[in-house]
Amino acid sequence: MVKNGTRVVTSVFGVLAGLAGLEHGIGEILQGAVRPTGVLILSWPGSRLFAILGGEPAMTLVPNLLVSGLLTVLVSLGCALWALGFLHRRHGALVLFGLSAVLLLVGGGFGPPLLGLTVGLAAARIRSPHTWATRRPRLGRLLQVAWPWVFAGGLAAWLLLLPGIPLLAYGLGVQSATLVAVVILSALSLLALSIFCGFARDARAGTAAVARTASRHS
């Protein structure tokens, strides 16, 4: 029985943000100790596997792609480990904000830092009293019941985005910009909905626990 839906959502998607950043770093390391032509780079230029994703665009302020890639790998691992074990401690969200910002600046792409920042925002609100879920019982109940399905759908959408779409394009020749756009929008939408479902689930569970405690002492 999951005791805190929001913690599950933020931990899992935080780890995904780290793993997605790691992929960018590996691509930059493989390019070697070359100087980028500008702030905007491609993590996997010329790669058939990542061609469907435009070669995985990123930005870096580091004037050496090998160093940029090594830093990206280290920061990505930090994001994943922090999300897995420390995100829900005091100031845990602030640390993830910082790691996500650094990840953006050293070559971790644009999606992984955005995912990390979104997860951090959700984690910062874990201890907040989400009274809207109890003031609107029908909506709260609907979101509570939908939580596992929305969470599973969001996880599937992010995994379809990476590595799913590159593998489909490389292995089966599926080349569709529309599919990429739909999957990106689905992944972002389901992530946001998973967070709100987690808030509602935890708020209603907390209210039920308080009611049970009150009944035992009455």
Side-chain angles (χ1 to χ4, degrees):
M1 179 69 176
V2 176
K3 293 184 177 180
N4 192 307
T6 310
R7 286 195 176 195
V8 172
V9 171
T10 52
S11 291
V12 170
F13 283 106
V15 170
L16 281 182
L19 293 178
L22 186 68
E23 166 260 304
H24 279 272
I26 293 171
E28 290 150 18
I29 289 172
L30 292 176
Q31 295 181 60
V34 298
R35 187 179 184 89
T37 57
V39 173
L40 296 178
I41 63 171
L42 295 179
S43 298
W44 293 90
S47 169
R48 287 181 55 202
L49 180 62
F50 292 102
I52 187 70
L53 298 179
E56 287 286 64
M59 65 175 288
T60 182
L61 301 182
V62 181
N64 184 300
L65 287 180
L66 176 60
V67 176
S68 180
L70 290 171
L71 290 173
T72 298
V73 167
L74 290 175
V75 177
S76 297
L77 290 174
C79 285
L81 292 173
W82 190 263
L84 190 62
F86 305 99
L87 178 59
H88 310 107
R89 296 185 177 185
R90 188 179 182 185
H91 305 310
L94 289 177
V95 174
L96 187 60
F97 288 152
L99 288 171
S100 298
V102 174
L103 186 62
L104 173 67
L105 298 177
V106 299
F110 300 102
L114 175 62
L115 181 55
L117 290 171
T118 303
V119 166
L121 286 173
R125 296 282 295 170
I126 283 179
R127 295 179 178 84
S128 300
H130 298 285
T131 54
W132 57 268
T134 53
R135 286 200 300 262
R136 297 174 175 82
R138 289 186 179 179
L139 176 61
R141 174 60 179 167
L142 176 63
L143 293 177
Q144 179 186 25
V145 172
W147 176 79
W149 306 104
V150 174
F151 171 57
L155 182 59
W158 281 94
L159 291 176
L160 177 58
L161 180 60
L162 189 72
I165 285 179
L167 291 176
L168 286 173
Y170 184 80
L172 300 178
V174 178
Q175 300 283 343
S176 173
T178 301
L179 175 62
V180 175
V182 169
V183 172
I184 291 174
L185 289 175
S186 299
L188 293 173
S189 300
L190 288 170
L191 170 62
L193 190 55
S194 295
I195 291 170
F196 279 103
C197 286
F199 287 159
R201 184 186 185 282
D202 298 339
R204 289 178 60 83
T207 301
V210 170
R212 287 194 299 269
T213 301
S215 66
R216 283 198 299 266
H217 290 83
S218 60

